[in-house]
Amino acid sequence: MSGLGELNHRGSPDRPGSPDRPGSPDHSGSPDHSGSPDHSGSPDRLGVPFGPGSPASFGAGGDRRWPGTEHRLLAGARPAGGRTASASPRTSADPVKALMDRHRALCERAVDPLEIAAGLEAQGVTDRTAAVRFRHRDVFSLAEEMYARTPRDGDTRPPRRTAPPVPRARTAWVVPALLPGALCAAAVAGLRLTHGQPRLITAVAGVLAVVLATRAAVRRGPLATPGRKPSAGLPVWWLAGYALLGEGLLRTALAGGPDGPPTGTADGPWPVTLAPFLALALACAPAAWTAHLFATAARRRLTASRGLDDFAAAVRPLLLGAVALFLTALAALLAAAGAVLGEPAAQPQALALGALLLLARLLAAHGFAHASTLVLSATALAQATALALLFAARLPGCGALAAPTEALVAAWGPAAVPTVTCGIGALTLLVHATRRLTTASAHARTEPAC
């Protein structure tokens, strides 16, 4: 409840130290109770009547005392110096001021009320809490008052809540986002034009170039993590490597192979599928642009919303639309890569992997990298286990270990392993993202430097 209703009034029967409470000494320091309401002839809140014949005794001057308190008063219960002792400290009549004292550092470093609103939300303050305890319509209006009342060198009035303009796509992050796809396309072309030892060198150089370009693309711009926090690099590259080599290895292992290392072609002893890997590398640019649009639109909703629930309801369709937009672009890239390379597009497994990587990166970019790392690691472990069981089943007496993988492949084909594992991981992150990325604290910080 608000502190406005918690003032410790002298004479209130609900507060400690009141003279109307049984067993509580009179600290008024004066027998005169003029100005107090007349309770004569009516029962008080404790159910004991006052008036003639009541068990309450009246001292000199008509002051009302409970039985058994006279000896305490006569024994010197009054503090030395004649001053009264308060039975309980008074609570603050300004709950907003008390809240500002608890969050002084947040109020002082905030550059606008939105940062204070996001910080309050992160501490568990909801719109209902703002209305019941602090007499404000929502957390945003409470944050505006806290921002305005925080002493600053300049003007302390909160800035006007207007939607910021859409930031233009700057070359500083657009070019790195395009680089992985360009280098991967060059590496694929090199594999098609070379044979023997030069092909191996081209493959190794191409993989290293794509890895470094992808790291550069996610270090700045909309896909960058705050504070340069480390991301789940190993699980991500395992999943990308499975898209390139995993399905061919699975087919070969079921047939009793492989009989040799991969040759970089789709018809070798260890088939390589280049189309999904190329499409995923090219999709770095649509992923960055989608993340940029989502962050910008969410920031606009943050400045226009009048409540945390309203903001969450407005951002949730934006998140789903961003994921759908990226998957549409990825499907187009998969179809184009498959047509150019003459390979199957691998639509289901590549789309599931793309959705998983996008959601993981969106969560990490907005400060929720822990869940992304866990899900990516679990997905990579599931794929590695499916392959490892096939090879472990070749040991004497361990043939039953391959039963789960063989049953899955027999029911839906070799593409079922990456589709099921990545699909479950993507759905898990989507549910988590609809809760985390629809909060104000996920979008209050400024965009990473570009």
Side-chain angles (χ1 to χ4, degrees):
M1 292 296 294
S2 169
L4 295 175
E6 298 177 356
L7 294 176
N8 187 11
H9 292 291
R10 185 181 304 166
S12 171
D14 295 334
R15 304 297 300 167
S18 171
D20 293 342
R21 237 180 129 97
S24 175
D26 186 359
H27 296 295
S28 63
S30 172
D32 186 13
H33 284 272
S34 60
S36 63
D38 184 12
H39 297 283
S40 176
S42 62
D44 75 338
R45 192 170 298 182
L46 296 175
V48 181
F50 288 100
S54 66
S57 60
F58 291 85
D63 60 331
R64 190 167 57 235
R65 294 173 185 153
W66 289 89
T69 60
E70 291 83 1
H71 68 281
R72 291 197 297 271
L73 294 176
L74 295 176
R78 182 175 301 175
R83 289 178 295 181
T84 61
S86 176
S88 63
R90 292 195 179 201
T91 56
S92 173
D94 189 354
V96 178
K97 181 63 168 59
L99 185 65
M100 292 176 61
D101 292 338
R102 290 197 300 269
H103 301 282
R104 182 178 302 275
L106 173 64
C107 296
E108 291 177 350
R109 70 169 181 266
V111 297
D112 57 26
L114 296 179
E115 291 191 13
I116 299 180
L120 294 178
E121 183 204 35
Q123 295 296 325
V125 179
T126 62
D127 290 334
R128 178 176 176 81
T129 305
V132 174
R133 295 186 58 187
F134 305 105
R135 300 295 188 265
H136 276 271
R137 179 177 58 254
D138 48 46
V139 174
F140 293 104
S141 62
L142 174 61
E144 287 176 354
E145 179 180 348
M146 294 173 65
Y147 182 86
R149 292 173 60 175
T150 301
R152 288 181 177 83
D153 295 336
D155 188 9
T156 60
R157 292 176 297 176
R160 186 180 179 183
R161 289 168 53 87
T162 57
V166 179
R168 296 183 177 180
R170 291 178 282 182
T171 309
W173 66 263
V174 172
V175 171
L178 294 171
L179 199 56
L183 292 177
C184 187
V188 170
L191 289 176
R192 291 300 181 95
L193 297 176
T194 57
H195 300 278
Q197 190 72 15
R199 172 177 287 179
L200 178 60
I201 296 175
T202 302
V204 173
V207 169
L208 291 177
V210 171
V211 169
L212 294 177
T214 305
R215 287 174 59 90
V218 299
R219 284 183 177 271
R220 305 192 68 183
L223 296 177
T225 57
R228 298 292 186 265
K229 294 182 180 179
S231 58
L234 184 59
V236 169
W237 289 115
W238 169 268
L239 296 173
Y242 191 96
L244 180 65
L245 302 169
E247 189 170 336
L249 178 60
L250 182 63
R251 292 177 183 271
T252 304
L254 289 172
D259 299 328
T263 60
T265 61
D267 54 356
W270 185 342
V272 176
T273 52
L274 295 174
F277 189 81
L278 175 60
L280 288 170
L282 292 171
C284 286
W289 186 255
T290 301
H292 170 75
L293 292 179
F294 171 68
T296 302
R299 182 74 177 182
R300 282 185 168 182
R301 295 297 188 277
L302 182 60
T303 58
S305 298
R306 298 308 309 178
L308 299 178
D309 294 337
D310 294 340
F311 175 73
V315 173
R316 194 171 292 112
L318 294 178
L319 174 62
L320 299 178
V323 175
L325 180 63
F326 171 76
L327 292 180
T328 302
L330 179 58
L333 291 174
L334 285 169
V340 170
L341 298 177
E343 296 179 2
Q347 290 275 2
Q349 57 267 42
L351 288 176
L353 176 58
L356 173 64
L357 295 178
L358 175 69
L359 290 168
R361 201 63 200 178
L362 282 178
L363 286 168
H366 288 84
F368 305 102
H370 182 66
S372 303
T373 302
L374 289 179
V375 173
L376 289 173
S377 301
T379 305
L381 182 61
Q383 292 185 358
T385 303
L387 287 174
L389 289 177
L390 292 178
F391 292 100
R394 298 179 182 181
L395 298 174
C398 298
L401 294 177
T405 305
E406 290 176 348
L408 188 60
V409 173
W412 292 295
V417 173
T419 302
V420 171
T421 54
C422 294
I424 293 176
L427 288 177
T428 303
L429 287 185
L430 181 61
V431 173
H432 187 67
T434 55
R435 296 176 54 208
R436 294 299 186 183
L437 299 185
T438 56
T439 59
S441 55
H443 303 277
R445 69 178 184 87
T446 56
E447 295 184 356
C450 298

